[in-house]
């Protein structure tokens, strides 16, 4: 579930909670989530200090003082918390990282689709496994011209295209749906038929929507919770996502839906063309 705004809020919260903390022990209760967790317990993390927590795409990278980093992805149901030792272990908490201060970083995932690994950092300050990802939508490289050029020759639907992490990162189903509604572009339009003017609208609205979602703590749809256990409030501002059959908030036409790229895609057949 966590998309860019949710990952950004988790990252900021972890930086506030963990920067400067020194690891004292690692406990692994479950052998495997998306990938094996055993190497985490064998990585000799004791004595390592957390320098910072940063985000790349939907990954959070907690950098350590020895040139390595804890790299995490939250899958569909990953929840992380930083709590005191007095809090009892929850059923689906798979990893505890203890700190000298008494804090415990706890990773919970009911579906076990999440990832938590240790990787060396490259010269660019990120682990090599993230090097092939596309541009960040809140940074300068994400422009209408870039998207127009990447879409050339792409006959597939525009919605899966803007959700492709090889092109631009972190715009998942919720934010792609809201962006295309705001830009008045149907989600099933071939990507190579979107005009440069329409790409200007898509880029502008996606940035606005992502920034607003970050401000409100993300969207709590399904399992997402912030580090402090709070829910994201942006779900209250969603205009079209998940509203199949309801009247369009702009023109009152019933909202329709179709499957695109394995995801349900809601849209207004009157407002979006």
């Amino acid at each position: 579930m966590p998309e860019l705004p949710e990952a950004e809020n988790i990252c900021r919260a972890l930086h506030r909670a963990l920067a400067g903390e020194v690891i004292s022990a690692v406990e692994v209760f479950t052998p495997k989530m998306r990938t094996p967790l055993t190497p985490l317990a064998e990585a000799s993390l004791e004595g390592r200090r957390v320098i910072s927590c940063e985000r790349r795409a939907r990954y959070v990278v907690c950098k350590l003082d020895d040139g390595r980093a804890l790299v995490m992805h939250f899958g569909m149901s990953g929840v992380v918390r930083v709590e005191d030792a007095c809090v009892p272990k929850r059923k689906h908490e798979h990893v505890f990282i203890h700190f000298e201060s008494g804090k415990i970083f706890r990773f919970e995932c009911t579906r076990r689709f999440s990832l938590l690994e240790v990787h060396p950092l490259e010269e660019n300050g990120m682990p090599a496994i993230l090097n092939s990802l596309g541009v960040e939508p809140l940074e300068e490289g994400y422009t209408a011209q870039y998207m127009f050029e990447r879409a050339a020759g792409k006959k597939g639907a525009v919605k899966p295209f803007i959700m492709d992490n090889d092109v631009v990162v972190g715009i998942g189903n919720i934010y792609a749906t809201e962006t295309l509604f705001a830009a008045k572009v149907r989600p099933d339009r071939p990507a190579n038929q979107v005009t440069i003017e329409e790409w200007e609208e898509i880029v502008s609205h996606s940035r606005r929507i992502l920034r607003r979602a970050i401000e409100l703590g993300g969207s709590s749809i399904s399992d997402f919770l912030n580090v402090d256990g709070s829910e994201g409030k942006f779900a209250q501002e969603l205009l079209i996502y998940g509203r199949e059959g309801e009247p369009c908030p702009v023109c009152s036409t019933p909202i329709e839906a179709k499957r695109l790229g394995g995801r349900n895609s809601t849209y207004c057949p009157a407002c979006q063309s």
Side-chain angles (χ1 to χ4, degrees):
M1 155 56 205
E3 300 180 15
L4 186 151
E6 293 76 40
E8 179 66 24
N9 274 278
I10 292 170
C11 178
R12 293 179 183 184
L14 288 179
H15 180 79
R16 290 192 296 269
L18 298 182
E21 293 285 336
V22 177
I23 298 171
S24 60
V26 177
E27 286 186 282
V28 172
F29 305 107
T30 307
K32 187 176 182 179
M33 285 197 290
R34 182 189 303 182
T35 59
L37 290 173
T38 308
L40 192 70
E42 300 171 348
S44 300
L45 296 175
E46 294 80 3
R48 301 275 60 84
R49 185 182 301 275
V50 177
I51 302 301
S52 66
C53 296
E54 301 175 19
R55 181 191 56 78
R56 176 72 171 106
R58 301 181 207 186
Y59 292 83
V60 172
V61 179
C62 291
K63 298 182 177 181
L64 306 177
D65 62 357
D66 64 351
R68 295 183 297 169
L70 295 166
V71 179
M72 60 194 80
H73 188 284
F74 308 101
M76 293 295 292
S77 60
V79 176
V80 295
R81 300 178 179 89
V82 179
E83 295 176 322
D84 294 331
C86 61
V87 178
K89 178 185 176 298
R90 299 169 180 87
K91 178 180 179 180
H92 297 290
E93 287 182 330
H94 307 304
V95 177
F96 280 8
I97 298 179
H98 297 259
F99 293 90
E100 291 181 356
S101 65
K103 294 179 180 179
I104 302 176
F105 167 91
R106 309 157 73 112
F107 205 128
E108 178 183 31
C109 187
T110 56
R111 304 185 194 183
R112 300 190 187 182
F113 292 160
S114 299
L115 175 148
L116 180 59
E117 297 178 339
V118 180
H119 287 272
L121 296 172
E122 303 286 295
E123 289 185 3
N124 65 0
M126 285 289 160
I129 61 167
L130 306 184
N131 286 346
S132 63
L133 293 171
V135 299
E136 290 281 343
L138 299 180
E139 296 184 359
E140 292 182 359
Y142 178 56
T143 65
Q145 187 63 38
Y146 167 81
M147 296 299 287
F148 182 75
E149 291 176 0
R150 288 296 302 265
K154 302 291 186 182
K155 297 180 181 179
V158 65
K159 182 167 176 263
F161 178 76
I162 66 174
M163 292 172 59
D164 184 347
N165 283 311
D166 290 336
V167 178
V168 57
V169 298
I171 304 178
N173 195 29
I174 296 171
Y175 301 108
T177 298
E178 294 292 307
T179 290
L180 291 173
F181 177 67
K184 301 180 180 180
V185 175
R186 278 180 63 112
D188 57 355
R189 281 264 303 279
N192 64 354
Q193 292 183 14
V194 178
T195 68
I196 188 69
E197 292 79 15
E198 288 171 326
W199 279 119
E200 291 281 1
E201 292 294 307
I202 290 170
V203 167
S204 175
H205 284 295
S206 60
R207 283 181 166 155
R208 173 184 61 80
I209 288 167
L210 289 171
R211 289 189 176 112
R212 178 61 174 163
I214 290 170
E215 178 184 346
L216 294 180
S219 301
S220 285
I221 309 289
S222 183
D223 302 301
F224 173 70
L225 294 173
N226 280 304
V227 173
D228 62 0
S230 65
E231 295 186 350
K233 300 300 190 293
F234 187 72
Q236 300 171 10
E237 298 193 2
L238 295 174
L239 297 178
I240 195 168
Y241 175 84
R243 299 188 184 277
E244 180 181 0
E246 297 182 20
C248 169
V250 174
C251 72
S252 297
T253 300
I255 293 169
E256 297 183 4
K258 68 187 305 183
R259 298 289 288 181
L260 294 171
R263 299 294 187 92
N264 205 43
S265 299
T266 47
Y267 66 98
C268 174
C271 291
Q272 292 171 260
S273 61

